[in-house]
Amino acid sequence: VFGIERACREMVERFWRDAGEGSALARMQATLLHVSREIHPPLTALQARLDELSRRQAPLAPHAREAVLNAAVQNIDQVMRLAAGTEVLARLHTPGMETRAQAFELDTLAQGIVQRFRPQAARLGVDLEVRAQADLPMVDADHDLVAEGLSRLLDYCLRHCPAGTRVRIVLQDAPEGVRAQVRQVEADLASESLYAPPSVPQAKGSDAATGEGLEIAIARRIAELHGGELAVTLAPGLPTSYGFTLPRAPTLNQGPFGP
């Protein structure tokens, strides 16, 4: 337990050394505070369960021992997820971090991500799919980073939505590029329009001052590395959405000297 805690603390310290200034630093401060709050409960629970096993005079019944060990494994998984996410975020903030742009089909990438998350969505009773505009242009972006960002947003939505929710990766062409959104539509909302609702400011309590989950912070940084920002829509009566815009790939007939 203490080894895990020490490793997490070292990653946080490395994160601080690489931190920039201004609003980005404020977001990092809030995110790290959020991670600190998240990481203590599973560590405390894990330590309590291990203490329970070590102090038992008589061996536990097989079913009771299995229950304690399963709970401990879940606590470890949660801590390791937080530790891995912190390391990813630190890497994304490394000075000189650059994207490796290439042309690819965003729809194909999104379909692969959704297939990977379908079992988790099914266990949670969440309807999950990709909705892509017809004839969607290819994007010119870092394939692996975009996959990381969409996966983090999808995982965040799945872990923070009730059964019966519809979660969509929505892809559409926009004036500024190709927009990718992960949208969480409550069961009692009828609208599932492909097009996004009007821009809505973040709800009170969702700004940097309160901190944000690692998944959101990672997706935000990936959007920034592609020259954009993470747009967040949180408003009653509208789908909750997290999205960013990627540059289009040049078409085949548009070389440096024109068509």
Side-chain angles (χ1 to χ4, degrees), residues 103-143:
F104 64 91
E105 294 181 348
L106 191 56
D107 186 10
T108 302
L109 173 64
Q111 294 286 358
I113 292 171
V114 162
Q115 287 302 318
R116 181 157 51 88
F117 278 91
R118 274 200 199 283
Q120 179 181 345
R123 288 194 301 271
L124 297 171
V126 173
D127 184 45
L128 176 63
E129 70 176 10
V130 176
R131 293 205 167 190
Q133 181 178 331
D135 301 321
L136 192 71
M138 296 180 73
V139 299
D140 186 35
D142 189 310
H143 181 280

Side-chain angles (χ1 to χ4, degrees), residues 10-12 14-19 28 32 83-100 142-149 152 214 217-219 221-222 225-226:
E10 289 173 355
M11 280 190 292
V12 169
R14 187 167 67 250
F15 193 5
W16 275 111
R17 288 197 299 271
D18 295 336
M28 284 185 242
L32 291 174
T86 305
E87 187 168 13
V88 169
L89 190 57
R91 177 173 56 83
L92 291 174
H93 279 277
T94 301
M97 174 71 185
E98 295 181 354
T99 60
R100 298 179 179 179
D142 189 310
H143 181 280
D144 292 343
L145 286 184
V146 173
E148 180 83 38
R152 295 282 178 174
L214 270 172
I218 289 170
R221 179 57 180 161
I222 289 171
L225 288 170
H226 285 87

Side-chain angles (χ1 to χ4, degrees), residues 68-223:
V68 171
L69 291 176
N70 285 340
V73 168
Q74 290 176 6
N75 293 140
I76 291 173
D77 287 345
Q78 186 177 354
V79 171
M80 296 309 295
R81 176 182 61 80
L82 290 167
T86 305
E87 187 168 13
V88 169
L89 190 57
R91 177 173 56 83
L92 291 174
H93 279 277
T94 301
M97 174 71 185
E98 295 181 354
T99 60
R100 298 179 179 179
Q102 65 182 93
F104 64 91
E105 294 181 348
L106 191 56
D107 186 10
T108 302
L109 173 64
Q111 294 286 358
I113 292 171
V114 162
Q115 287 302 318
R116 181 157 51 88
F117 278 91
R118 274 200 199 283
Q120 179 181 345
R123 288 194 301 271
L124 297 171
V126 173
D127 184 45
L128 176 63
E129 70 176 10
V130 176
R131 293 205 167 190
Q133 181 178 331
D135 301 321
L136 192 71
M138 296 180 73
V139 299
D140 186 35
D142 189 310
H143 181 280
D144 292 343
L145 286 184
V146 173
E148 180 83 38
L150 284 176
S151 297
R152 295 282 178 174
L153 291 175
L154 195 55
D155 183 52
Y156 180 84
C157 285
L158 288 175
R159 289 190 297 104
H160 294 84
C161 66
T165 304
R166 304 185 294 274
V167 175
R168 306 284 184 252
I169 296 183
V170 180
L171 310 174
Q172 61 188 103
D173 198 12
E176 64 275 18
V178 179
R179 184 179 300 139
Q181 290 181 309
V182 177
R183 297 172 65 180
Q184 180 179 314
V185 186
E186 298 294 341
D188 57 351
L189 292 181
S191 173
E192 273 201 73
S193 170
L194 177 66
Y195 297 97
S199 179
V200 179
Q202 292 190 24
K204 184 178 180 181
S206 64
D207 60 8
T210 64
E212 57 188 6
L214 270 172
E215 295 89 350
I216 301 301
I218 289 170
R220 187 183 298 281
R221 179 57 180 161
I222 289 171

